[in-house]
Amino acid sequence: MQSSFVAEGMCADVAIHDTDGHNPHAHIMLTVRPLDDKGKWQYKTEKEYLCKRNGEEKGFTAAEFLQAKSQGWEKQYQYYVGKKKVYMPPSEAERHGYERANKYPKSTKFGRQNPITARWNSDEQLVVWRENWAQITNKHLDEANRSDAHIDHRNNAARGIDEQPTIHEGYVAQAMERRGLIADRCELNRQIKADNAVLLELKAAFTKISQAVKNTVPTLAEAMESLREKAIIINYHIRHTQIGKRIVSDFLKGLKAAYESYKGIVKQISTKKKERKELQKQKKSTPVLKVITHRNFDRRFAELTEEIEELKFEKARLLKTMERTDDKDVATINDSFDRLESALAELDEREKRYTAELNEVLRQYDEYKEQAKEFNEGEFGKARLDIRSDKEHNALSQISDAYGEHFSRSTFFSSRSEIDGKLDDEINMPAVRECVYQQRKQAHQQQKNRKSHEQER
């Protein structure tokens, strides 16, 4: 705390939670606005004006502009150029006689961040703090004879780990789950954990197979059938991911369409309400003796009221479609768009990763297929068929355990058929039958010879 934060000029506060529960943890709260040498708060961001000189644009803070102004730099304002509003320096606008649209000068969107604050908020600084935390934690773990529980501040990619990290769920998502609802963040983490579990099993099996493969019928048959099993599992992941992408994409598309319709409905309601209000004003200002005119006003007023009610009904339907309770709740829909688009990007990345892994399995399978050409087709095919059923059952069990209630048997069999097509390695069944026949014939002859030998004795 002292060396990492306070020494940097930050104020640090620690809150330790759940010390006697199942999730002990601490929150470190820090100030992100630095103090100057007099103990006063510095700015976090400062307005930065985009000024122009001889066609060049450059940003200046208010203090910097005082000097820049004497060097010919001018702030830019919006001026009417026909119906458009265009930013330009006052000197240029005066030459053309343009009228200023407003008094606000052009500036950067978020201003200029204090360099100290920028460093505190940087990814590089976060890595330093995480490393310091890991070192201190591991030091105390060593003192408690728990070196086996060391932590590492680096992410999985930096540590050379292929496992996909889970995402932060947060209190809201966990509270939803406790109420029996399904939170998309928790659901995504469950999927990630299932994927990682299957991935670890596959890697361990593949390493074992690769080390054991020799140029013999049993070992090569085992290797090829294990690769086929792995390919089926990976292909199931790909298909499941593609289904997920389609579901999320369709939902996002429908949500955006509903939102656009909702905005149109809201605009129509507003327009018709204004028209109805104006109609009321006109009716009040119209003499009572103009009966026909008043009747027309009443008829149009009734039409507008009915149209508004129909639009409100449609708006209520769209709110239900968007899973929103009221107009205020619609303001959060952009968060849903961001979350769904992020989920789509994650699913797309996952599909690419699985596809690359499947291509590697297919490449290794082709190498084994070349080795298998030196064996008798019938003998080698029989060796593979003898273990194929167990391999397929193992693949089905792994996938069903990983996906639970989301497991699809039809997707599994479709994945198996698709992989067999990609492997393009159909077993020669006539040769297998001939091999079985010859083996039985040989066994029968051996039995006959043994009986004959026993009779002779």
Side-chain angles (χ1 to χ4, degrees), residues 60-71:
F60 298 98
T61 63
E64 292 170 345
F65 180 70
L66 293 176
Q67 182 179 356
K69 186 177 181 181
S70 63
Q71 298 172 354

Side-chain angles (χ1 to χ4, degrees), residues 31 90 125 138 233 245 279-280 305 325 331 345 353 385 434 436:
T31 52
Q125 184 63 57
N138 291 336
I233 293 173
K245 280 173 62 178
L279 203 66
Q280 285 179 311
T305 300
T325 54
R353 189 170 63 251
L385 288 175
E434 177 62 25
V436 171

Side-chain angles (χ1 to χ4, degrees), residues 416-428:
R416 185 187 66 179
S417 299
E418 187 175 347
I419 285 301
D420 284 337
K422 288 182 177 181
L423 294 176
D424 190 22
D425 186 30
E426 189 174 350
I427 294 177
N428 188 336

Side-chain angles (χ1 to χ4, degrees), residues 308-325:
I308 290 170
E309 289 304 313
E310 289 177 356
L311 289 170
K312 283 182 177 179
F313 179 81
E314 178 63 14
K315 189 181 80 167
R317 186 189 68 80
L318 290 170
L319 283 170
K320 187 176 181 181
T321 301
M322 294 187 292
E323 300 178 350
R324 295 299 188 272
T325 54

Side-chain angles (χ1 to χ4, degrees), residues 43-50 59-62 64 106-115 118:
Y43 63 88
K44 284 192 294 185
T45 58
E46 191 173 4
K47 199 169 188 69
E48 184 178 36
Y49 300 102
L50 291 173
F60 298 98
T61 63
E64 292 170 345
K106 187 178 182 182
S107 60
T108 54
K109 187 174 183 180
F110 300 108
R112 186 186 300 178
Q113 194 173 26
N114 186 304

Side-chain angles (χ1 to χ4, degrees), residues 50-106:
L50 291 173
C51 304
K52 213 165 189 181
R53 183 184 69 178
N54 299 328
E56 181 187 359
E57 189 175 71
K58 191 175 180 181
F60 298 98
T61 63
E64 292 170 345
F65 180 70
L66 293 176
Q67 182 179 356
K69 186 177 181 181
S70 63
Q71 298 172 354
W73 289 95
E74 295 181 85
K75 292 181 181 179
Q76 300 179 78
Y77 298 88
Q78 282 187 326
Y79 291 88
Y80 287 110
V81 180
K83 293 183 179 181
K84 294 183 179 180
K85 295 178 181 179
V86 181
Y87 278 107
M88 64 181 69
S91 59
E92 183 181 343
E94 288 174 6
R95 286 198 302 270
H96 296 89
Y98 294 141
E99 178 187 355
R100 185 185 289 189
N102 56 55
K103 63 179 180 180
Y104 305 107
K106 187 178 182 182

Side-chain angles (χ1 to χ4, degrees), residues 139-154:
K139 175 178 177 292
H140 288 284
L141 286 170
D142 288 338
E143 292 173 355
N145 295 320
R146 287 301 309 277
S147 57
D148 59 312
H150 274 194
I151 63 173
D152 196 319
H153 69 283
R154 297 171 298 168

Side-chain angles (χ1 to χ4, degrees), residues 116-129:
I116 299 176
T117 301
R119 179 169 60 82
W120 287 348
N121 280 332
S122 67
D123 292 339
E124 294 77 14
Q125 184 63 57
L126 179 61
V127 171
V128 172
W129 285 334

